[in-house]
Amino acid sequence: MIRHLATVLGPDHRGALRRYLAWLVAYAVLEGVAMAFLVPVLRAVFDGDTPAALRHLATLAVLVVATCVARYQQAMRGFGLAVVTLTTLHDRLGDHLVRLPLGWFTSEKVGRVARSATTGTFTVTHVFAHLLTPVVSGVVTPATVASAMLVLDWRLGSVLVCCAPLLYATHRWAASWIGRSEERREAADALAGNRVVEFARAQKTLRAFGRDHVGHAPLEAAVEERSRAGGRMLAETMPRLLAGGLAVQLCFAALVATGVALALDDAVEPAALVALLALAARFVGPLSEAAGMSGMLRMAGNDLGRLAALLDEPPLPDTAPRAALERSGEITFENVTFGYDDGDPVLRDVSFDIPPRTMTAVVGPSGAGKTTLARLIARFFDVDAGSVRVGGTDVREMPVEQLMTQISLVQQDVYLFDDTLEGNIRVGRPDATDEELREAARIAGVDEIVERLPDGFATRVGEGGTSLSGGERQRVSVARAVLKRAPVVLLDEATAALDPENEKYVQQALRTLMRDSTLLVIAHQLSTVMAADQILVLDEGRVSERGTHAELLAADGLYARFWERRRRSRGWRLVPRARVDAAEATR
């Protein structure tokens, strides 16, 4: 847990963490020593030795004051670290997330980030403010008392030492079970949360098929599993917490029995036994508190482990910025091989060059690796072999910030923020002038949308751009790319689902982008493919064909077959059933 706390706090606060732990241990030791000094005080009182009792009482008072000082210091430093966590952890998480590869951000991991940013932050502050002090003092203080007991009476001290393995084994057994139960419950909670979000997002689909009133089976199953996991956790946790408390009481009972036996054999004076048992009672208190918190400790440890694992995710390597790229807008793949998560390669020994200010279309069957090409250029992932160069420089040798200034990415699924239309376009280049923004909007056809909106550019588009149609959102995304003026523009199926009107505006914007930018277009629209300066045909992770539209048709290969299928599909249309029946009747 301490290692995870150090990771969560970061290197800037590890010195403060060490000082906090030093004061915490000092407090626990002083508390144990102060408890041990009760024995000579009580012995002197029972013996009627007033001067000795006063001397021991004065020493005890000094120890109590020192214990209070240590308690105050560790408490204030613990609260200070809790405040540091509240004020810096979210910033640290944000700074770390922006350095992770873009391909890392799957829906499951994004959900983990959300949980860590909320419950994880609360857990860290709770550990410093409330949990660590009783747990550490519950171990260190009894250990100090046991050491003192060995000095005061080795026989009773030996009983405490012999009890230590039983207490440790009981704690580990209970904590491991509780930890596993909490992990299962956390997994069930995460799944149920994801299913709730899925259910909310899929309302259009569910209602379209009449499933809104009969429930959603995956959600119901996830909620039921969450309930079962919570019940199992409660059933498995309570007996083990009781076992921890029982072990502590058994140790105290063994100590009392041993002391009584020694007193009956006149091996220890009754007054001394009373004093020693009073000390033993103080041994039991912190241990019982620590045993009661063993479950919370393990659950907090799991939360801290997940948060530390998030912060330990390896970021993209930092490199020094390049003063200037050798060939702005040029894209080169050289013997690139890549696969996801140690699976089979998606791309195999891929090599090609894209000259600056040209348009290259990428076509091929599903799963051929088209989208992966764009992801590698944007460095969602690093290649397994070979190199990807932008502007003549390997993307791994450029800082992420510099690479992102070279690239604009326009995808089929566009996300717009819950902001104004102008704010969403300015994402492309926040420092653009109003004239530049409106020109980008005009090129992408957004000005036509603005005219229809009640507040023009100041109209809020809703979360995800819900107040706009899919085609209109795509136009806003293209306007961002136009405004950014990046040397390289990657379009992944940007025109796949557009109606003719929206496609007209997007094609117009592409022609404008070609004047100053290099375009890599993953598309199946015939007009887009035909306009490309070169066409790459991917098949099973390899570039099987390359050339212009005319050259590839003449080669009569995979591209020619693709072209013929797409050409025929353009003539497909739906007609009323009555017209079909009438046509058949006239034959």
PDB file of all heavy atoms in Angstrom, residues 186-202:
ATOM      1  N   GLU A 186     -16.169  -5.189  -7.435  1.00  0.00           N
ATOM      2  CA  GLU A 186     -15.771  -4.052  -8.263  1.00  0.00           C
ATOM      3  C   GLU A 186     -15.978  -4.357  -9.743  1.00  0.00           C
ATOM      4  O   GLU A 186     -16.466  -3.505 -10.508  1.00  0.00           O
ATOM      5  CB  GLU A 186     -14.300  -3.717  -8.001  1.00  0.00           C
ATOM      6  CG  GLU A 186     -13.660  -2.759  -8.984  1.00  0.00           C
ATOM      7  CD  GLU A 186     -14.230  -1.358  -8.917  1.00  0.00           C
ATOM      8  OE1 GLU A 186     -14.876  -1.023  -7.906  1.00  0.00           O
ATOM      9  OE2 GLU A 186     -14.031  -0.597  -9.888  1.00  0.00           O
ATOM     10  N   ALA A 187     -15.609  -5.582 -10.162  1.00  0.00           N
ATOM     11  CA  ALA A 187     -15.816  -5.964 -11.558  1.00  0.00           C
ATOM     12  C   ALA A 187     -17.307  -5.972 -11.906  1.00  0.00           C
ATOM     13  O   ALA A 187     -17.714  -5.528 -12.984  1.00  0.00           O
ATOM     14  CB  ALA A 187     -15.196  -7.338 -11.822  1.00  0.00           C
ATOM     15  N   ALA A 188     -18.135  -6.490 -10.975  1.00  0.00           N
ATOM     16  CA  ALA A 188     -19.586  -6.501 -11.214  1.00  0.00           C
ATOM     17  C   ALA A 188     -20.140  -5.080 -11.256  1.00  0.00           C
ATOM     18  O   ALA A 188     -21.007  -4.768 -12.078  1.00  0.00           O
ATOM     19  CB  ALA A 188     -20.286  -7.311 -10.122  1.00  0.00           C
ATOM     20  N   ASP A 189     -19.636  -4.194 -10.391  1.00  0.00           N
ATOM     21  CA  ASP A 189     -20.071  -2.793 -10.417  1.00  0.00           C
ATOM     22  C   ASP A 189     -19.718  -2.131 -11.738  1.00  0.00           C
ATOM     23  O   ASP A 189     -20.516  -1.388 -12.316  1.00  0.00           O
ATOM     24  CB  ASP A 189     -19.406  -2.019  -9.271  1.00  0.00           C
ATOM     25  CG  ASP A 189     -20.103  -2.257  -7.937  1.00  0.00           C
ATOM     26  OD1 ASP A 189     -21.202  -2.834  -7.948  1.00  0.00           O
ATOM     27  OD2 ASP A 189     -19.539  -1.875  -6.899  1.00  0.00           O
ATOM     28  N   ALA A 190     -18.486  -2.393 -12.201  1.00  0.00           N
ATOM     29  CA  ALA A 190     -18.047  -1.785 -13.463  1.00  0.00           C
ATOM     30  C   ALA A 190     -18.909  -2.258 -14.624  1.00  0.00           C
ATOM     31  O   ALA A 190     -19.320  -1.465 -15.478  1.00  0.00           O
ATOM     32  CB  ALA A 190     -16.577  -2.119 -13.721  1.00  0.00           C
ATOM     33  N   LEU A 191     -19.195  -3.565 -14.656  1.00  0.00           N
ATOM     34  CA  LEU A 191     -20.014  -4.104 -15.732  1.00  0.00           C
ATOM     35  C   LEU A 191     -21.424  -3.520 -15.676  1.00  0.00           C
ATOM     36  O   LEU A 191     -21.992  -3.135 -16.713  1.00  0.00           O
ATOM     37  CB  LEU A 191     -20.064  -5.624 -15.637  1.00  0.00           C
ATOM     38  CG  LEU A 191     -20.919  -6.337 -16.697  1.00  0.00           C
ATOM     39  CD1 LEU A 191     -20.400  -6.039 -18.102  1.00  0.00           C
ATOM     40  CD2 LEU A 191     -20.954  -7.844 -16.443  1.00  0.00           C
ATOM     41  N   ALA A 192     -21.990  -3.442 -14.481  1.00  0.00           N
ATOM     42  CA  ALA A 192     -23.343  -2.892 -14.356  1.00  0.00           C
ATOM     43  C   ALA A 192     -23.362  -1.427 -14.785  1.00  0.00           C
ATOM     44  O   ALA A 192     -24.296  -0.983 -15.476  1.00  0.00           O
ATOM     45  CB  ALA A 192     -23.834  -3.026 -12.916  1.00  0.00           C
ATOM     46  N   GLY A 193     -22.346  -0.662 -14.407  1.00  0.00           N
ATOM     47  CA  GLY A 193     -22.287   0.736 -14.822  1.00  0.00           C
ATOM     48  C   GLY A 193     -22.197   0.881 -16.330  1.00  0.00           C
ATOM     49  O   GLY A 193     -22.874   1.730 -16.936  1.00  0.00           O
ATOM     50  N   ASN A 194     -21.366   0.031 -16.954  1.00  0.00           N
ATOM     51  CA  ASN A 194     -21.247   0.077 -18.412  1.00  0.00           C
ATOM     52  C   ASN A 194     -22.566  -0.294 -19.092  1.00  0.00           C
ATOM     53  O   ASN A 194     -22.936   0.277 -20.123  1.00  0.00           O
ATOM     54  CB  ASN A 194     -20.134  -0.862 -18.879  1.00  0.00           C
ATOM     55  CG  ASN A 194     -18.758  -0.362 -18.493  1.00  0.00           C
ATOM     56  OD1 ASN A 194     -18.569   0.830 -18.242  1.00  0.00           O
ATOM     57  ND2 ASN A 194     -17.790  -1.263 -18.440  1.00  0.00           N
ATOM     58  N   ARG A 195     -23.269  -1.258 -18.511  1.00  0.00           N
ATOM     59  CA  ARG A 195     -24.553  -1.676 -19.098  1.00  0.00           C
ATOM     60  C   ARG A 195     -25.612  -0.579 -18.970  1.00  0.00           C
ATOM     61  O   ARG A 195     -26.458  -0.413 -19.859  1.00  0.00           O
ATOM     62  CB  ARG A 195     -25.055  -2.958 -18.429  1.00  0.00           C
ATOM     63  CG  ARG A 195     -24.234  -4.197 -18.724  1.00  0.00           C
ATOM     64  CD  ARG A 195     -24.149  -4.467 -20.195  1.00  0.00           C
ATOM     65  NE  ARG A 195     -23.523  -5.750 -20.479  1.00  0.00           N
ATOM     66  CZ  ARG A 195     -23.098  -6.136 -21.685  1.00  0.00           C
ATOM     67  NH1 ARG A 195     -23.246  -5.298 -22.711  1.00  0.00           N
ATOM     68  NH2 ARG A 195     -22.546  -7.307 -21.873  1.00  0.00           N
ATOM     69  N   VAL A 196     -25.575   0.159 -17.874  1.00  0.00           N
ATOM     70  CA  VAL A 196     -26.526   1.268 -17.717  1.00  0.00           C
ATOM     71  C   VAL A 196     -26.276   2.321 -18.786  1.00  0.00           C
ATOM     72  O   VAL A 196     -27.211   2.834 -19.426  1.00  0.00           O
ATOM     73  CB  VAL A 196     -26.410   1.878 -16.306  1.00  0.00           C
ATOM     74  CG1 VAL A 196     -27.184   3.184 -16.228  1.00  0.00           C
ATOM     75  CG2 VAL A 196     -26.936   0.901 -15.263  1.00  0.00           C
ATOM     76  N   VAL A 197     -24.990   2.664 -19.001  1.00  0.00           N
ATOM     77  CA  VAL A 197     -24.654   3.646 -20.031  1.00  0.00           C
ATOM     78  C   VAL A 197     -25.048   3.126 -21.408  1.00  0.00           C
ATOM     79  O   VAL A 197     -25.608   3.862 -22.237  1.00  0.00           O
ATOM     80  CB  VAL A 197     -23.145   3.968 -19.977  1.00  0.00           C
ATOM     81  CG1 VAL A 197     -22.749   4.867 -21.149  1.00  0.00           C
ATOM     82  CG2 VAL A 197     -22.800   4.639 -18.657  1.00  0.00           C
ATOM     83  N   GLU A 198     -24.786   1.843 -21.650  1.00  0.00           N
ATOM     84  CA  GLU A 198     -25.158   1.240 -22.931  1.00  0.00           C
ATOM     85  C   GLU A 198     -26.668   1.293 -23.134  1.00  0.00           C
ATOM     86  O   GLU A 198     -27.155   1.615 -24.233  1.00  0.00           O
ATOM     87  CB  GLU A 198     -24.673  -0.207 -22.968  1.00  0.00           C
ATOM     88  CG  GLU A 198     -25.054  -0.962 -24.228  1.00  0.00           C
ATOM     89  CD  GLU A 198     -24.702  -2.438 -24.121  1.00  0.00           C
ATOM     90  OE1 GLU A 198     -25.247  -3.108 -23.210  1.00  0.00           O
ATOM     91  OE2 GLU A 198     -23.898  -2.907 -24.927  1.00  0.00           O
ATOM     92  N   PHE A 199     -27.419   0.994 -22.080  1.00  0.00           N
ATOM     93  CA  PHE A 199     -28.879   1.010 -22.172  1.00  0.00           C
ATOM     94  C   PHE A 199     -29.383   2.414 -22.506  1.00  0.00           C
ATOM     95  O   PHE A 199     -30.295   2.594 -23.321  1.00  0.00           O
ATOM     96  CB  PHE A 199     -29.467   0.529 -20.839  1.00  0.00           C
ATOM     97  CG  PHE A 199     -30.962   0.536 -20.795  1.00  0.00           C
ATOM     98  CD1 PHE A 199     -31.703  -0.393 -21.518  1.00  0.00           C
ATOM     99  CD2 PHE A 199     -31.643   1.468 -20.027  1.00  0.00           C
ATOM    100  CE1 PHE A 199     -33.104  -0.390 -21.474  1.00  0.00           C
ATOM    101  CE2 PHE A 199     -33.022   1.486 -19.969  1.00  0.00           C
ATOM    102  CZ  PHE A 199     -33.754   0.552 -20.701  1.00  0.00           C
ATOM    103  N   ALA A 200     -28.785   3.437 -21.867  1.00  0.00           N
ATOM    104  CA  ALA A 200     -29.211   4.811 -22.132  1.00  0.00           C
ATOM    105  C   ALA A 200     -28.876   5.222 -23.568  1.00  0.00           C
ATOM    106  O   ALA A 200     -29.682   5.871 -24.241  1.00  0.00           O
ATOM    107  CB  ALA A 200     -28.541   5.758 -21.131  1.00  0.00           C
ATOM    108  N   ARG A 201     -27.690   4.848 -24.025  1.00  0.00           N
ATOM    109  CA  ARG A 201     -27.270   5.252 -25.365  1.00  0.00           C
ATOM    110  C   ARG A 201     -28.030   4.501 -26.459  1.00  0.00           C
ATOM    111  O   ARG A 201     -28.168   5.002 -27.573  1.00  0.00           O
ATOM    112  CB  ARG A 201     -25.769   5.004 -25.535  1.00  0.00           C
ATOM    113  CG  ARG A 201     -24.894   5.980 -24.744  1.00  0.00           C
ATOM    114  CD  ARG A 201     -23.430   5.661 -24.926  1.00  0.00           C
ATOM    115  NE  ARG A 201     -22.584   6.677 -24.297  1.00  0.00           N
ATOM    116  CZ  ARG A 201     -21.268   6.590 -24.197  1.00  0.00           C
ATOM    117  NH1 ARG A 201     -20.639   5.532 -24.687  1.00  0.00           N
ATOM    118  NH2 ARG A 201     -20.567   7.558 -23.620  1.00  0.00           N
ATOM    119  N   ALA A 202     -28.501   3.311 -26.142  1.00  0.00           N
ATOM    120  CA  ALA A 202     -29.143   2.484 -27.160  1.00  0.00           C
ATOM    121  C   ALA A 202     -30.660   2.634 -27.176  1.00  0.00           C
ATOM    122  O   ALA A 202     -31.353   1.783 -27.742  1.00  0.00           O
ATOM    123  CB  ALA A 202     -28.778   1.012 -26.948  1.00  0.00           C
TER     124      ALA A 202
END
